[in-house]
């Protein structure tokens, strides 16, 4: 099961991808919203869409909020679960992300357990894995 | 893989080691203060629970921390007892019991308590209160208007009771298992922390309580959550706790234990019953739940697959949150399935 990891920090992409790998995802990476959309197009053409996208908010070129809106606007990608993974922790920002179409919101810094909790709640990780 | 409890990007815990004599002294201390038995198989608990104290106190090792406690530093002793007896906790920890509470137990009580319109729930070993507040959130969704609910959280540790009463949680704590929609609905940001809403606070109260001694002034409960705490006690104490818990549970009430806990042979006076995907204990003599009645839109299935099916109606409106007309999604907790994005329309 693919998971798209979108973050402009290579170190953070590696951390998120590492956690997702232990939860039996096969991560693919992108460093901003535009490259993420290109990656989604590529995966769509290969009929190999990710089940999950973990998306940072603050990125150059196209930020995470714009990316979420763009994914939500495209019917081909309606089954992808979107989780914002960001240092943005204001109440209003979380509401904005959820309103734009994010299904979950994980605030940095986070632990591997916290990410597993969210994915378990979203039904993407079985209850017993990583518990 | 680093320690999953170390925040990504944070400095790792310093390596800690303790001597067998330290471990023996610690186990004895905890046993004397709480009746909690940490045999050698629970050595990992000593290590994982004390590592944060070593780090935050600036000690070089757990050995140094223990030496300070053994030297008679009552503050350090108190910190150690707190750390060792604190029930690990997170929001909606294990989805099964909360699903059962929401879809089976509370609906049954709505039928059975129609005359009183009052429900009392005990969160035993409540730690910093996440379980109690999670229950409160579910009660607001399931109980009809005009019902009153009292959720009593008890914990051995005065520090934990104080924390739970404040209802103030760190960023790391709200990241653990609390769905984002619940976070924005029930909490306000307060500096680096999140404050639980007055509505949830009004439904809960917290007090000190030691499970190993007779329960006093607790009253009787419709539901008791005694999860992931019996493992700390020896067999006789477990039997005694379950017997005394029976005494504070109403004859048709419900008792939840932890998912991995069995009380086989110790659960005198109780029988086991299945509710959603979870099994729980009922007082002997209580009428069985029988087949679960299905409400439209309710999640009653025991499997994730059923939960997903039941949310189809909601997810059908998902692609365009702007035109989502379903009732505010923040009111529905649907474990192990993807919630619809938040709709701000009409709010």
């Amino acid at each position: 099961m693919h998971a798209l990891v979108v973050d402009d920090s290579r170190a953070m992409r590696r951390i998120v991808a590492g956690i997702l790998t232990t939860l039996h995802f096969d991560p693919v990476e992108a460093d901003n919203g535009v490259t993420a959309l290109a990656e989604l197009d590529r995966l769509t053409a290969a009929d190999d869409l990710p089940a999950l996208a973990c998306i940072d908010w603050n990125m150059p070129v196209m930020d995470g909020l714009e990316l979420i809106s763009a994914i939500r606007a495209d019917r081909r990608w309606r089954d992808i679960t979107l989780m914002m993974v960001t240092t943005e922790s204001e109440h209003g920002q979380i509401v904005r992300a959820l309103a734009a179409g994010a299904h979950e919101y994980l605030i940095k810094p986070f632990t591997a357990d916290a990410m597993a909790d969210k994915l378990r709640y979203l039904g993407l990780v079985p209850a017993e894995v990583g518990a | 893989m680093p320690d999953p409890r170390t925040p990504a990007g944070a400095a790792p815990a310093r390596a800690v080691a303790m001597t067998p004599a330290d471990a023996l002294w610690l186990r004895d201390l905890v046993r004397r203060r709480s009746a909690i038995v940490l045999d050698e198989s629970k050595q990992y608990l000593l290590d994982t629970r004390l590592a944060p104290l070593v780090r935050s106190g600036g000690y070089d090792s757990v050995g140094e921390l223990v030496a300070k406690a053994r030297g008679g530093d009552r503050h350090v002793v108190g910190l150690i007892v707190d750390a060792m007896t604190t029930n690990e906790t997170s929001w909606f920890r294990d989805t099964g019991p909360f699903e059962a509470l929401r879809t089976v137990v509370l609906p049954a009580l709505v039928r059975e308590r129609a005359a009183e319109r009052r429900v009392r729930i005990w969160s035993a070993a409540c730690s910093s209160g996440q379980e109690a507040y999670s229950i409160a959130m579910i009660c607001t969704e399931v109980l009809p208007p005009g019902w009153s609910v009292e959720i009593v959280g008890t914990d051995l540790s005065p520090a934990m009771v104080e924390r739970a009463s404040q209802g103030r949680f760190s960023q790391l704590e709200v990241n653990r298992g609390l769905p984002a929609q619940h976070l924005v609905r029930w909490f306000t940001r307060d500096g680096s922390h999140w404050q639980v809403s007055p509505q949830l606070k009004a439904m809960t109260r917290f007090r000190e309580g030691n499970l190993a001694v007779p329960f006093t002034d607790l009253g009787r409960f419709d539901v008791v959550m005694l999860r992931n705490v019996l493992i700390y006690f020896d067999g006789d104490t477990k039997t005694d706790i379950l017997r005394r818990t029976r005494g504070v549970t109403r004859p048709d009430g419900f008792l939840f234990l932890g998912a991995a806990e069995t009380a086989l042979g110790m659960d005198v006076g109780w029988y086991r019953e299945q509710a959603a995907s979870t099994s729980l204990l009922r007082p002997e003599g209580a009428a069985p739940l029988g087949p679960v009645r299905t409400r439209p839109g309710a999640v009653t299935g025991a499997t994730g697959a059923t939960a997903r099916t039941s949310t189809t109606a909601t997810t059908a409106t998902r692609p365009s949150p702007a035109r989502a007309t379903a009732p505010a999604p923040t009111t529905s907790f649907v474990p192990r399935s993807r919630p619809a994005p938040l709709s701000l329309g009409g709010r």
Side-chain angles (χ1 to χ4, degrees):
Chain A
M1 190 158 52
H2 280 312
L4 179 61
V5 179
V6 191
D7 199 305
D8 59 333
S9 154
R10 191 159 160 265
M12 187 49 71
R13 284 202 306 274
R14 198 182 311 140
I15 289 168
V16 173
I19 294 169
L20 291 174
T21 302
T22 67
L23 297 170
H24 308 299
F25 285 93
D26 175 16
V28 287
E29 300 182 17
D31 61 1
N32 67 58
V34 170
T35 52
L37 289 173
E39 194 61 31
L40 281 177
D41 274 326
R42 187 184 69 77
L43 291 167
T44 306
D47 196 19
D48 198 16
L49 277 179
L52 167 73
C54 293
I55 301 169
D56 181 29
W57 191 310
N58 296 301
M59 295 180 291
V61 190
M62 180 194 276
D63 71 22
L65 193 65
E66 292 174 86
L67 174 61
I68 283 173
S69 302
I71 293 173
R72 278 288 153 255
D74 193 316
R75 292 186 61 83
R76 295 175 299 164
W77 300 330
R78 58 186 295 171
D79 290 332
I80 304 173
T81 296
L82 305 180
M83 181 158 75
M84 193 69 110
V85 182
T86 174
T87 51
E88 292 288 339
S89 59
E90 290 300 322
H91 189 278
Q93 296 291 72
I94 301 172
V95 172
R96 276 179 78 196
L98 295 177
H103 298 94
E104 258 304 336
Y105 198 104
L106 185 62
I107 301 167
K108 296 173 187 170
F110 58 87
T111 63
D113 282 345
M115 177 164 273
D117 282 348
K118 293 278 185 190
L119 297 177
R120 212 171 284 127
Y121 165 73
L122 290 164
L124 291 172
V125 171
E128 61 276 15
V129 175
Chain B
M1 194 69 219
D3 179 350
R5 294 193 180 100
T6 303
R14 228 172 292 190
V16 291
M18 69 180 87
T19 65
D22 286 342
L24 203 63
W25 185 84
L26 284 168
R27 287 201 290 267
D28 184 54
L29 169 73
V30 172
R31 161 124 213 168
R32 276 185 286 115
R33 297 287 283 266
S34 65
I36 286 175
V37 182
L38 300 165
D39 58 28
E40 285 176 33
S41 72
K42 306 257 169 60
Q43 176 70 32
Y44 70 96
L45 275 175
L46 292 176
D47 293 325
T48 57
R49 298 285 179 87
L50 295 184
L53 282 186
V54 171
R55 203 161 52 228
S56 65
Y59 298 98
D60 279 334
S61 66
V62 95
E64 195 186 329
L65 177 82
V66 175
K68 188 111 176 156
R70 295 180 75 168
D73 187 321
R74 294 178 64 171
H75 177 64
V76 173
V77 168
L79 289 177
I80 290 175
V81 172
D82 265 359
M84 294 313 307
T85 57
T86 295
N87 194 16
E88 217 177 289
T89 187
S90 68
W91 308 93
F92 299 102
R93 179 178 177 186
D94 310 324
T95 51
F98 292 99
E99 183 193 359
L101 199 59
R102 182 181 150 72
T103 62
V104 180
V105 171
L106 287 173
L109 289 169
V110 167
R111 291 191 296 274
E112 297 302 319
R113 304 283 184 266
E116 304 164 51
R117 304 209 297 175
R118 178 175 156 81
V119 173
R120 294 189 80 235
I121 299 173
W122 180 20
S123 171
C126 67
S127 191
S128 36
Q130 283 93 329
E131 178 183 79
Y133 289 119
S134 298
I135 295 167
M137 291 177 213
I138 291 179
C139 286
T140 63
E141 299 164 10
V142 178
L143 296 180
W147 282 58
S148 76
V149 57
E150 183 182 38
I151 299 156
V152 179
T154 62
D155 201 276
L156 186 68
S157 156
M160 280 299 138
V161 170
E162 174 61 25
R163 280 206 54 203
S165 305
Q166 286 177 350
R168 202 164 171 273
F169 298 93
S170 72
Q171 195 66 70
L172 286 174
E173 286 169 324
V174 298
N175 257 348
R176 289 300 313 271
L178 180 65
Q181 294 184 353
H182 286 60
L183 176 66
V184 295
R185 176 160 186 211
W186 294 114
F187 292 79
T188 51
R189 186 76 190 280
D190 178 16
S192 61
H193 283 67
W194 292 82
Q195 177 64 52
V196 77
S197 75
Q199 188 188 344
L200 295 190
K201 275 184 96 165
M203 296 163 70
T204 51
R205 69 186 174 92
F206 297 92
R207 46 172 281 189
E208 282 177 51
N210 185 346
L211 293 171
V213 301
F215 308 139
T216 51
D217 303 328
L218 276 177
R220 299 242 269 177
F221 296 97
D222 302 296
V223 182
V224 176
M225 310 290 270
L226 183 66
R227 303 192 307 138
N228 309 306
V229 62
L230 287 179
I231 52 159
Y232 296 113
F233 297 97
D234 64 28
D236 287 347
T237 311
K238 272 186 208 178
T239 305
D240 186 47
I241 291 171
L242 285 167
R243 183 182 59 74
R244 286 181 292 107
T245 301
R246 173 67 190 82
V248 296
T249 306
R250 289 186 52 172
D252 58 350
F254 301 85
L255 169 63
F256 287 89
L257 301 180
E261 291 177 308
T262 70
L264 229 52
M266 299 167 183
D267 50 352
V268 179
W270 298 93
Y271 76 94
R272 193 162 279 274
E273 188 167 26
Q274 192 71 20
S277 61
T278 297
S279 81
L280 42 72
L281 296 179
R282 307 291 311 283
E284 269 171 11
L289 286 162
V292 174
R293 296 177 207 180
T294 309
R295 288 178 295 116
V299 181
T300 55
T303 66
T306 313
R308 276 177 171 274
T309 306
S310 66
T311 56
T312 307
T314 316
T315 52
T317 61
R318 182 165 44 74
S320 169
R323 63 177 170 83
T325 52
T330 51
T331 60
S332 66
F333 174 68
V334 186
R336 299 178 59 184
S337 64
R338 184 169 66 173
L342 184 69
S343 164
L344 293 183
R347 277 160 41 99

